[in-house]
Amino acid sequence: MNLTVTPKISRDGFVKMEISTTNSTLSAQIIDINKSAQAPVVDQRKANTTVSAQSGQTIVIGGLIDTINETNMRKVPVLGDIPYLGVLFRTTTTKKERKELLILMTPIVLDNSQVPVKLTDPDRVLRDNLDNADIKQIMREGDMQRRILEPYYRTNRPSWRENQIRTNTAPAL
C-alpha cells in the first residue's frame, strides 16, 4: 500500500489535503511470458480525494473495498483433460473474500513560535477523536466495523510515553 498526502494550510487554520492511495496485491493468476518463465498478475487499485479539516480534527476515509472471487483448477496432466473421467483427476477451489480499508488521519498544525509545545499522548488524542466521532455507534452496526475499530479502544497497552521512558532508560549493551 502506498499513501501520499499533500497538505496545504490556509490562513483560517484549515488543512486541505490531497490524498492519493495505491493498493497492490498479487493475484492467483499467472501469465506465461515464454516457454520457461511465468509471472504473477498484480492487481492495482488507485483512489484520489481532497479533504479539508481543522487542525486536530480526525477524518475517516472509507469505501476502499476489495472483493476477491477466484476460481483455481488443479489437475493431473493428460488425465484431467479426459471427458467425464477427468473429473476424478482435477479439483476446483473457489475463494471469496471481502476487505475494507479505513484510513484515519488527524492533521495538526504546529505553531512556529519559540514557546515550548506541550506534548500529548497520540493514543489519547486518537481515542478522544474517535469518541467524539461516534465511532462506538458504528461499531454496534456490524461485526466487520467492530473488528476493525476495536483495537483503538484497548486500554491494556502501554501509552507511547511509557514506551519512550522504557526505550530511553534501557541499559546500554
Side-chain angles (χ1 to χ4, degrees):
M1 166 145 189
N2 182 17
L3 180 68
T4 305
V5 180
T6 306
K8 295 177 183 173
I9 304 170
S10 65
R11 290 186 179 152
D12 59 355
F14 279 82
V15 180
K16 180 180 177 184
M17 295 174 285
E18 295 173 3
I19 302 168
S20 173
T21 180
T22 303
N23 194 1
S24 301
T25 56
L26 285 176
S27 173
Q29 287 182 313
I30 296 176
I31 296 176
D32 292 328
I33 296 174
N34 57 34
K35 293 179 183 178
S36 62
Q38 295 179 332
V41 175
V42 177
D43 294 329
Q44 193 173 61
R45 296 180 303 137
K46 294 183 179 184
N48 298 316
T49 188
T50 302
V51 178
S52 184
Q54 290 180 335
S55 177
Q57 179 184 15
T58 299
I59 59 164
V60 179
I61 300 172
L64 301 169
I65 299 171
D66 187 16
T67 304
I68 299 172
N69 294 322
E70 292 183 355
T71 303
N72 296 320
M73 183 174 60
R74 301 182 100 186
K75 61 182 177 178
V76 175
V78 181
L79 296 176
D81 295 327
I82 298 172
Y84 303 109
L85 254 159
V87 175
L88 299 172
F89 298 98
R90 66 178 173 249
T91 60
T92 303
T93 57
T94 303
K95 176 183 175 183
K96 293 183 180 184
E97 192 175 302
R98 184 180 184 271
K99 298 177 188 176
E100 181 172 3
L101 176 65
L102 293 177
I103 301 171
L104 290 98
M105 298 176 66
T106 306
I108 297 176
V109 178
L110 300 177
D111 191 7
N112 197 13
S113 67
Q114 297 298 321
V115 178
V117 178
K118 179 186 170 204
L119 293 177
T120 57
D121 184 357
D123 291 336
R124 171 75 4 223
V125 172
L126 177 61
R127 184 177 306 237
D128 291 343
N129 286 332
L130 288 172
D131 287 340
N132 292 337
D134 294 327
I135 298 293
K136 286 185 180 181
Q137 177 62 33
I138 295 172
M139 288 174 59
R140 290 186 205 112
E141 292 175 4
D143 186 50
M144 176 70 76
Q145 290 88 341
R146 183 185 51 75
R147 285 189 287 150
I148 292 170
L149 297 170
E150 197 172 60
Y152 294 108
Y153 284 96
R154 290 190 185 138
T155 58
N156 59 352
R157 64 180 177 181
S159 70
W160 80 239
R161 281 197 181 138
E162 291 171 359
N163 286 334
Q164 290 292 329
I165 292 169
R166 266 192 232 126
T167 304
N168 291 336
T169 59
L173 298 176

